[in-house]
Amino acid sequence: MQRVVHFEIHAGDPPRLIDFYGKVFGWTFEKFPGGVDYWTITTGAADQPGINGGLVRRRGATPGAGEPTPVIAFVCTVDVANLDKTAAVIVAAGGTLAAAKMAIPGMAWLAYYKDPDSNIFGIFQADPNAK
């Protein structure tokens, strides 16, 4: 079986998204050497489950600017301790709701948001009592 080992976020304004994801999830970013518009993303400690990724300058126009568009990408979902508190931080940092909080019965709460560049991501709070 083959597993996902890396993710990328495409950004029209990389510093804005670096600030957004740093505020929301505490991720850290490091500019890739060689003058390339690419930053590595560290999402947590190496001894914890999860993957790291990268942020790259978007090529072309930002999709869905002002209009609803279908999701045409893989969507990464981030495990959070408290979905409601994280949602408030997302909105305060400039993110917007894409799909409201929903229960995955007996497992978790899930919601989808857009970052300031219209990239969709999920947040997931484990809760065996979710209904």
Side-chain angles (χ1 to χ4, degrees), residues 13-64:
D13 182 358
R16 180 174 65 167
L17 290 192
I18 288 168
D19 183 60
F20 175 81
Y21 285 103
K23 284 179 181 173
V24 172
F25 299 123
W27 295 350
T28 59
F29 295 77
E30 185 175 330
K31 183 86 165 80
F32 198 77
V36 178
D37 275 344
Y38 196 89
W39 293 258
T40 58
I41 305 171
T42 301
T43 63
D47 63 345
Q48 298 295 313
I51 61 174
N52 294 317
L55 186 134
V56 62
R57 183 173 299 279
R58 184 183 309 279
R59 292 175 178 88
T62 300

Side-chain angles (χ1 to χ4, degrees), residues 34-130:
V36 178
D37 275 344
Y38 196 89
W39 293 258
T40 58
I41 305 171
T42 301
T43 63
D47 63 345
Q48 298 295 313
I51 61 174
N52 294 317
L55 186 134
V56 62
R57 183 173 299 279
R58 184 183 309 279
R59 292 175 178 88
T62 300
E67 296 183 26
T69 57
V71 177
I72 50 173
F74 282 98
V75 174
C76 293
T77 300
V78 179
D79 184 28
V80 300
N82 185 303
L83 191 136
D84 295 326
K85 286 182 180 178
T86 302
V89 172
I90 290 167
V91 171
T96 57
L97 182 66
K101 178 179 174 180
M102 64 193 88
I104 302 172
M107 180 185 288
W109 296 100
L110 175 68
Y112 294 97
Y113 284 83
K114 288 184 180 181
D115 70 17
D117 233 21
S118 296
N119 296 300
I120 295 177
F121 62 94
I123 55 175
F124 174 99
Q125 176 190 333
D127 181 356
N129 298 312

